[in-house]
Amino acid sequence: MEKCDVCGAQCLHKLCMHKVPIFSSLSQDDLTHIASIIRHKKYQKGETLFSEGNRPDALVIVNEGSVKAFKITSDGREQILYVFSEGDFFGERNLFGRQVSAYTVEALEPVKTCSFTKESFHELLHAYPEIAIKIIEELEERISRMESALQSMGVRSIDNRISALLLDFAEKYGTSVPDGTLIHLPLSREGMANYLGVARETVSRKLGLLENEGIIRSNGNKSILLLDRSMLEASAGKSADF
Amino acid sequence: MEKCDVCGAQCLHKLCMHKVPIFSSLSQDDLTHIASIIRHKKYQKGETLFSEGNRPDALVIVNEGSVKAFKITSDGREQILYVFSEGDFFGERNLFGRQVSAYTVEALEPVKTCSFTKESFHELLHAYPEIAIKIIEELEERISRMESALQSMGVRSIDNRISALLLDFAEKYGTSVPDGTLIHLPLSREGMANYLGVARETVSRKLGLLENEGIIRSNGNKSILLLDRSMLEASAGKSADF
DNA sequence: GTATTTCTGTGATTGCAATCAAATTTTTAT
DNA sequence: ATAAAAATTTGATTGCAATCACAGAAATAC
């Protein structure tokens, strides 16, 4: 196991705990105790963490990299539901209900995860009931985001949805550069299409339009430079007809 | 206040508690104690329980009737996110985070509710930590349903979505009759359109098609008789081209 | 660095659902 | 019961995005 220069081997364990709000209310001592029951795993790009219909019994926290969670629709398309990255967690559903996984989770790039087994997580919950409250808050947050997604899918304008997606990515995967915000895209064009539920060609065309309007600058397939955030916000939230 | 023949006035209070799984793990004594801190309210059809942007500080349980929760989209349409009916709860988000209500809730018919204030609910949570787990389970359930909704919105076929909605309603609002399942619709055609994010006319046309195919029989504007459930299931889940 | 493969962009066409415009049914009020 | 209002259905037209087809670009392998 690698060692950390600052705090020794333990630090690796604590890393993921410090990234999730779930544990934010706990003391350093408690965290140290928890660290001992965490399992670590690595995955390569394209590797499947678990599949729809599986019965995974662990809470998984993304410590590095990003993953997509998707279902296969009745017409064979891949519908992406979430892109989870550093600090996000998933798999918690299978720790409470006895449900089977609702989606497949696949690494979008090399990924490191921390996970709790069902048993150790329940012990944890028993020892620190305040964690349950934190989880509720986190789930509410997630529901909020899904409500917005549902709302924007209900909106017929595809322009809105593309713009909203770019803003989302800008917040999560963007870094400030002199000209604007450089977004390192977690998804390919096809991935974005599968996230939005539109055709791949439509994403290309819409991004082309935004580029012509000087709102974004495409930078290869892996990143996009957001030049005019306010224009994008206007196109994401306001009327679609100008 | 009305009296109950079986158990006296108390029973009215307990009613809503028995309808929500949140309290299913508590003893009768605990329930009796909780009953004393519940507030009751009545609303008429069309009345607003609270509005998007409000800061309601109560957990509300629907005891009778049904409500819709909606947002107004950027293009002015009403996007319905949920139809809550007997046993469902909402408003919990404002008890944990300090967030403002994400949607407007309006009565679809005469409605009776039970509610806890923020303070009394937190006392409750403190006294019975297992309630937090129940809430998590309930939220996971809700997330599951939203994931399905998102997935089916990603599916381009509108037929699928209409069929899925009818099956949903059949389960929640249907009663068995000799010819099939009689669905008492909580939403008007326009409401269904706003739920699905399509035009009102499209809902009419699609229902018309289903009626021609002998799958349903429209019965005024308030109810639909589902004749052939398996055909509807096929059209909801399978390929859209037959 | 070249070849191969995978991914992306662009044009042409088609199809489905939105919109506009009445007509008709259903509900509500008196 | 009748009138008025509201909701729904139906038809005609339009527009946008899916699909098909292929050219070009980028990433990967060798």
Side-chain angles (χ1 to χ4, degrees), chain B residues 28-177:
Chain B
Q28 189 60 40
D29 273 1
D30 293 336
L31 289 175
T32 307
H33 166 241
I34 291 173
S36 62
I37 56 175
I38 291 180
R39 292 276 143 75
H40 296 270
K41 278 186 188 164
K42 283 185 186 185
Y43 300 89
Q44 299 176 338
K45 176 178 174 175
E47 233 183 308
T48 298
L49 281 73
F50 58 78
S51 299
E52 191 174 344
N54 265 20
R55 199 177 282 277
D57 62 347
L59 173 80
V60 181
I61 300 169
V62 179
N63 196 23
E64 213 180 293
S66 57
V67 302
K68 64 178 174 181
F70 63 92
K71 291 180 163 204
I72 300 300
T73 65
S74 47
D75 56 344
R77 276 183 46 254
E78 168 184 310
Q79 176 64 49
I80 297 178
L81 295 168
Y82 306 101
V83 174
F84 292 122
S85 50
E86 205 177 292
D88 294 324
F89 64 88
F90 56 87
E92 79 288 348
R93 192 164 317 153
N94 315 289
L95 299 189
F96 295 109
R98 62 211 166 309
Q99 295 180 40
V100 139
S101 174
Y103 38 70
T104 301
V105 178
E106 189 186 306
L108 289 167
E109 49 189 327
V111 164
K112 291 183 185 172
T113 63
C114 302
S115 57
F116 295 89
T117 64
K118 183 173 184 146
E119 293 71 33
S120 62
F121 187 68
H122 272 104
E123 279 171 34
L124 202 66
L125 220 50
H126 188 255
Y128 310 103
E130 62 268 36
I131 291 179
I133 307 290
K134 290 285 179 187
I135 289 179
I136 291 176
E137 284 173 5
E138 191 63 27
L139 292 179
E140 292 288 359
E141 177 70 31
R142 196 172 291 181
I143 289 177
S144 263
R145 267 184 273 129
M146 292 190 82
E147 284 167 356
S148 298
L150 258 184
Q151 178 194 26
S152 73
M153 283 202 128
V155 172
R156 300 189 249 297
S157 156
I158 287 187
D159 300 71
N160 287 19
R161 284 155 66 183
I162 300 239
S163 300
L165 180 65
L166 286 179
L167 287 171
D168 226 55
F169 281 170
E171 198 167 317
K172 261 185 130 175
Y173 308 107
T175 53
S176 279
V177 293

Side-chain angles (χ1 to χ4, degrees), chain B residues 45 158-159 198-199 201-202 205-206 221-222:
Chain B
K45 176 178 174 175
I158 287 187
D159 300 71
V198 301
E201 293 94 323
T202 301
R205 278 186 250 267
K206 294 299 182 185
N221 294 335
K222 293 275 173 61

Side-chain angles (χ1 to χ4, degrees), chain A residues 45 158-159 198-199 201-202 205-206 221-222:
Chain A
K45 177 178 175 175
I158 287 189
D159 300 70
V198 301
E201 293 94 324
T202 301
R205 278 186 250 267
K206 293 300 182 185
N221 294 335
K222 293 276 172 62

